[in-house]
Amino acid sequence: MHDIHTILSADGPFAELIPGYAPRVQQQELAEAVSSALEKQEVFIAEAGTGTGKTFAYLVPALLSGQKVIISTGTKNLQDQLFHKDLPLVRQALAVPVDVALLKGRANYLCLHRMELALSEGRFRSRSEVSDLQLVREWSGRTRSGDIAELTELAEDAPLWPQVTSTGDNCLGSECPRYDDCHLMHARRRAQEADVLVVNHHLLFADMALKGEGFGELLPGANAFILDEAHQLPETASNFFGTTISGNQLLELAHDCIAEDLREAGESGRLRSAAEHLEKTVKDLRLAFGIEQRRGAWREIAQRPGFRAALDDVDTALKELHAQLKPLAARGKGLESCLRRCEETLLRYAQVSSDAAGDQIHWYETHTRSFSLNLTPMDVAALFQAQVSARPCAWIFTSATLAVGDSFEHFTHRLGLQEAKTHRWDSPFDFARQALLYVPPELPDPNSPAYTAAVVEQALPVLEASRGRAFLLFTSHRALQEAAALLEGRLEYPLLIQGQMPRSRLLEQFRAMGNAILLGTGSFWEGVDVRGEALSCVIIDKLPFASPGDPVLQARIEAMREQGGNPFMEYQLPQAVITLKQGVGRLIRDVNDRGVLMLCDPRLGSKSYGRIFIDSLPPMTKTRKLDVVQRFFAQE
């Protein structure tokens, strides 16, 4: 029997491996609770405040358990950190012979067959794609895993990647000429054999929802699931238990049919013509939505003049493509794959373009050149609970932000986990000493057109006092752009604006500069770790309530009202509290950090629910006086 308390103590193996290691009671207690849940096969939900060291707290008992454990986290970046940094350290500290593996979705692995097709076809949209393909070709001879994250010289969103990776639609499976060398197949085999497997939520839910990854399920072999960043699960579950079809998917089908026509069908002409007609109808459907980019409820767009006709034209074009593919499919595996995809697409398209059932939210989203048609479950609790019940083993959910005050009810209700054991641990950081909460006085109503300008005016003296070193977190891109324009030229510190460059590059620059001011929205509210003096101030423009115009939120609100519920108190408010806790969590990341949190929303004082937000935050010293903020920074 291993003594987890001792392992994580000042005399344990981590103290020898990590310079400046300090034991934390919260970490030791969380690790013991996880160990008990693994042993008893319990469903356990744990909130652990920033600085608890929850990663080690679940990795230590997971590696000691002797069970096959699947660990799922929120993003690929966190997945990589867990696998390449944290797991090797814990394995070294424990000196246990545990076999570990990393598995991502198929789009993260180089497809050798598609790379060879791209090289032989030579159809490129730009010179940069040619040089990018040469980079990939050189790297393909060196890589063992085929994980595209290794090739850092090529941007994550480079246009070439979809041409040299596969999708569930275009993968040839065991019929592929490079099947024996397939990087995804090798990764899946390692995953089946490993004691501890690291995945991300998207892959976990894709597997649960049987999204046709093509190589059999991952989940039946696991004895335990540990889901980190668990606050993201309800949203991810909604996406994966629904049905979506995008304009890009339809265009890719047409494109691949044309490519296979050239390669295998002897250029029949009729197949190419049908595929090109599908391309035209898809582009016409995008125009039928109108030029603006937005998300909306299906009923808003369904009555638009010409929209139904454009929808039907795509359906007719898909059926014509299917008719042309059917007699040609026997000529090659590529055409056979295109026929199968066309049949699946016709079924999905019929679902998302018809009237939805009452338990589904029917909505659309438009982008510059593409669109998506979506069906999202109104409630995923029963669907998720069925997945948990089908696998009677340990299920452990953890995050720094799961509770509202001391209650887990919002989280457990959304995932159908009302019977779970729950516990929360406060952060070990001394927030009363390390942090100051500043709520500026006399701001206008957050809906006022002058609101963002007023926030900027109140923020300027705080940014002077903090000497830059700040995040300004906004609840909308519109407010971010307005604030960026208003701040331009008014401070001597460098301004970094979300969208100027990839997030990872922005953060590198922010850390390196040491006195920068970074303006960000959603993706900077969580999963960002800047320790030390470079980040000494976090300014949040308003309480992060989800946009009331969002069609999925609107539908949920209407359904809750019809059932006699209170959607604001039961859904919108708890969601906003959890999001705010994520944003606040950027400020204090280390035992030696100091900083000011500036919360700009007057509703904190004017509305009764303001107290719920304040009570959910760590116990910081509070002030409404600017000179207290200035003195706090002067003491550095």
Side-chain angles (χ1 to χ4, degrees), residues 211-460:
K211 286 284 183 182
E213 284 285 330
F215 298 111
E217 286 186 84
L218 297 172
L219 306 183
N223 306 117
F225 294 87
I226 298 175
L227 291 85
D228 198 352
E229 302 296 320
H231 63 278
Q232 298 176 6
L233 291 172
E235 209 57 47
T236 311
S238 294
N239 294 336
F240 278 98
F241 290 135
T243 305
T244 294
I245 230 171
S246 72
N248 284 340
Q249 285 173 311
L250 294 165
L251 291 173
E252 280 171 19
L253 172 62
H255 172 270
D256 288 349
C257 286
I258 292 168
E260 294 304 332
D261 184 42
L262 287 168
R263 191 161 35 247
E264 293 174 348
E267 295 191 61
S268 68
R270 288 194 297 275
L271 177 58
R272 184 185 184 103
S273 175
E276 287 174 346
H277 181 56
L278 175 60
E279 287 181 328
K280 180 185 181 300
T281 61
V282 170
K283 289 170 183 172
D284 288 346
L285 178 54
R286 172 63 190 90
L287 292 173
F289 281 99
I291 57 170
E292 63 272 27
Q293 297 179 52
R294 60 188 174 137
R295 288 158 64 106
W298 187 258
R299 62 177 180 273
E300 291 172 15
I301 199 75
Q303 306 307 317
R304 192 182 181 109
F307 182 74
R308 187 73 244 177
L311 266 183
D312 292 343
D313 286 348
V314 172
D315 184 59
T316 303
L318 272 169
K319 285 171 179 168
E320 175 58 25
L321 183 66
H322 180 261
Q324 296 301 331
L325 278 167
K326 204 163 185 179
L328 299 173
R331 296 193 187 183
K333 291 300 172 189
L335 284 167
E336 192 180 303
S337 171
C338 285
L339 176 64
R340 189 193 72 246
R341 285 166 64 187
C342 191
E343 288 169 347
E344 289 169 358
T345 303
L346 268 166
L347 284 171
R348 293 213 320 274
Y349 188 78
Q351 284 180 288
V352 297
S353 60
S354 308
D355 291 337
D359 59 350
Q360 297 275 330
I361 302 165
H362 203 182
W363 58 286
Y364 70 91
E365 185 168 17
T366 54
H367 310 284
T368 310
R369 290 190 177 83
S370 189
F371 60 85
S372 65
L373 314 177
N374 309 280
L375 285 172
T376 299
M378 189 75 73
D379 184 0
V380 296
L383 292 164
F384 187 77
Q385 177 56 41
Q387 296 290 341
V388 173
S389 299
R391 298 167 182 87
C393 60
W395 286 83
I396 293 154
F397 303 84
T398 184
S399 169
T401 55
L402 292 174
V404 177
D406 287 322
S407 171
F408 286 88
E409 187 180 344
H410 176 66
F411 180 75
T412 57
H413 178 75
R414 289 193 72 191
L415 290 181
L417 300 173
Q418 280 88 342
E419 304 302 312
K421 279 182 66 176
T422 62
H423 195 90
R424 61 179 298 271
W425 283 270
D426 288 328
S427 167
F429 297 148
D430 184 355
F431 276 88
R433 179 185 61 79
Q434 292 177 252
L436 176 70
L437 170 59
Y438 172 50
V439 180
E442 297 170 15
L443 279 168
D445 184 274
N447 293 320
S448 159
Y451 184 75
T452 299
V455 167
V456 168
E457 290 307 313
Q458 295 270 22
L460 281 165

Side-chain angles (χ1 to χ4, degrees), residues 6-22 89 92-93:
T6 303
I7 290 168
L8 292 166
S9 73
D11 302 318
F14 288 102
E16 294 174 27
L17 279 174
I18 302 170
Y21 176 82
L89 187 61
Q92 183 185 353

Side-chain angles (χ1 to χ4, degrees), residues 455-500:
V455 167
V456 168
E457 290 307 313
Q458 295 270 22
L460 281 165
V462 175
L463 293 168
E464 290 287 2
S466 67
R467 304 186 299 285
R469 305 184 299 162
F471 274 8
L472 270 69
L473 299 179
F474 294 90
T475 52
S476 73
H477 285 279
R478 184 203 53 75
L480 182 148
Q481 297 302 334
E482 184 183 345
L486 290 167
L487 284 168
E488 193 64 48
R490 295 186 69 183
L491 288 160
E492 59 184 295
Y493 308 108
L495 281 183
L496 299 171
I497 317 294
Q498 181 178 336
Q500 285 177 335

Side-chain angles (χ1 to χ4, degrees), residues 435-439 597-599 614 617 620-624:
L436 176 70
L437 170 59
Y438 172 50
V439 180
L597 169 68
M598 178 173 169
L599 279 184
I614 297 293
L617 299 180
M620 293 177 267
T621 305
K622 302 171 185 66
T623 186
R624 294 183 72 91

